[in-house]
Amino acid sequence: MTTGDRDGLDDKIERLRGIVAELGRVVVAFSGGADSAFLAAICNDVLGPDSSLCVTAVSPSLAGSEEADCRALASDWGLSWRPVATDEMERAAYRANDVDRCYHCKAELMDVLVPMAGPGSTIVLGVNVDDLADHRPGQRAALERGAVFPLVLAGLDKTEIREASRRMGLRTWDKPAAACLASRVPFGTPVSVEILSRVDRAEAAVRSLGFRQVRVRHHGESARLEVDESELARAVVVRHQIVEALKTAGYRWVSLDLEGFRSGSLNPTMGRSTGSSPTGPHS
């Protein structure tokens, strides 16, 4: 990164801090990923824990390891943090898993957060400018209910957020991308607690073998495993352990995707360009 790039990033960070300061009091939708963690840290630094509540939505859609990490980050960084149960699985439109599934998930989250925020508080989400080009209908649900995207307003993209996080000493700066577990299920396949639990167990088992970036795409009795391209060779070496782990999680057949991990590999646009499933969630 050049000096000019650093100066440009510094300007964006200062712009972000100003945006947060103007909001005055916020509720941060805190998933623990690189984006929401960075936003939470900035809000906590600018506004203090009394004026920046970080809330993690807990449901079958959230991997157990992610809830634990949110709790640890809140403790380490001195965040005002609260887990809250969300019931998106009670929404038939969410369970149906059509192309707008994320809309119904985010609508549930906002319906829970709005009463928590109360008068004078603004709900903020860690959406960045790169996200605007992806298929993420949840953004629409959040905006309709009054949420604000400070990272977008500051003009920050994913790479800049990771670099800014690194400078701040946030351990989330290189945290692998994560998404709700339902994003592993192709559109049109109904989502159930049993499926989400199976995916969670399967991914945890693969991570326990030392893989950082993991997606287990659910295709009925088959699991299609995506790992980072740099780890494909090692996945072949330990394939027997992987197969055993995924069969223990409940899958009958296991395949390794030779294209490696791609965020959005089940998306409609991604599917058409790569030969993947023509429909599916975003991450």
Side-chain angles (χ1 to χ4, degrees), residues 257-281:
D257 192 318
L258 296 181
E259 288 190 82
F261 167 74
R262 288 100 62 218
S263 180
S265 74
L266 288 178
N267 262 2
T269 53
M270 181 71 81
R272 286 192 291 272
S273 64
T274 66
S276 301
S277 173
T279 56

Side-chain angles (χ1 to χ4, degrees), residues 14-30:
E14 284 307 305
R15 190 182 312 153
L16 174 62
R17 294 176 66 88
I19 291 166
V20 169
E22 287 183 10
L23 292 174
R25 192 174 187 87
V26 299
V27 173
V28 184
F30 182 54

Side-chain angles (χ1 to χ4, degrees), residues 47-266:
L47 302 175
D50 290 339
S51 297
S52 56
L53 174 63
C54 299
V55 179
T56 299
V58 179
S59 76
S61 301
L62 180 70
S65 60
E66 291 301 310
E67 179 186 357
D69 198 36
C70 286
R71 186 181 300 275
L73 289 170
S75 176
D76 293 344
W77 297 352
L79 305 178
S80 175
W81 177 75
R82 186 184 307 172
V84 62
T86 55
D87 295 320
E88 59 268 24
M89 289 298 298
E90 297 301 313
R91 298 187 178 223
Y94 176 85
R95 296 194 307 273
N97 194 24
D98 65 12
V99 294
D100 280 337
R101 188 205 69 246
C102 291
Y103 178 92
H104 305 294
C105 182
K106 200 66 71 180
E108 169 68 17
L109 172 64
M110 292 298 297
D111 287 351
V112 170
L113 294 186
V114 168
M116 294 180 65
S121 290
T122 301
I123 298 169
V124 295
L125 274 65
V127 178
N128 67 67
V129 296
D130 291 335
D131 296 329
L132 301 180
D134 200 358
H135 176 69
R136 303 199 177 191
Q139 295 172 9
R140 176 164 49 92
L143 290 172
E144 288 173 354
R145 291 158 175 79
V148 171
F149 303 160
L151 304 180
V152 171
L153 295 176
L156 286 158
D157 62 27
K158 188 73 167 186
T159 299
E160 291 171 325
I161 290 166
R162 289 191 181 277
E163 171 59 18
S165 298
R166 186 190 66 79
R167 292 190 206 174
M168 291 172 61
L170 306 180
R171 65 172 175 81
T172 51
W173 77 270
D174 66 342
K175 184 175 180 178
C180 87
L181 294 172
S183 68
R184 282 51 155 183
V185 185
F187 288 138
T189 299
V191 173
S192 69
V193 172
E194 190 278 329
I195 288 175
L196 299 181
S197 177
R198 184 190 305 181
V199 170
D200 192 14
R201 295 194 308 272
E203 291 190 349
V206 176
R207 284 194 299 270
S208 74
L209 297 174
F211 294 90
R212 293 192 73 223
Q213 186 70 77
V214 175
R215 290 291 185 276
V216 172
R217 308 297 185 183
H218 175 90
H219 300 281
E221 294 186 283
S222 298
R224 175 169 58 86
L225 174 64
E226 294 177 11
V227 298
D228 193 84
E229 190 174 352
S230 64
E231 296 187 303
L232 283 172
R234 190 167 74 84
V236 173
V237 172
V238 299
R239 63 188 182 278
H240 296 300
Q241 291 109 298
I242 290 175
V243 169
E244 180 181 1
L246 269 61
K247 285 190 173 183
T248 299
Y251 289 100
R252 185 174 179 184
W253 296 290
V254 177
S255 64
L256 176 65
D257 192 318
L258 296 181
E259 288 190 82
F261 167 74
R262 288 100 62 218
S263 180
S265 74
L266 288 178

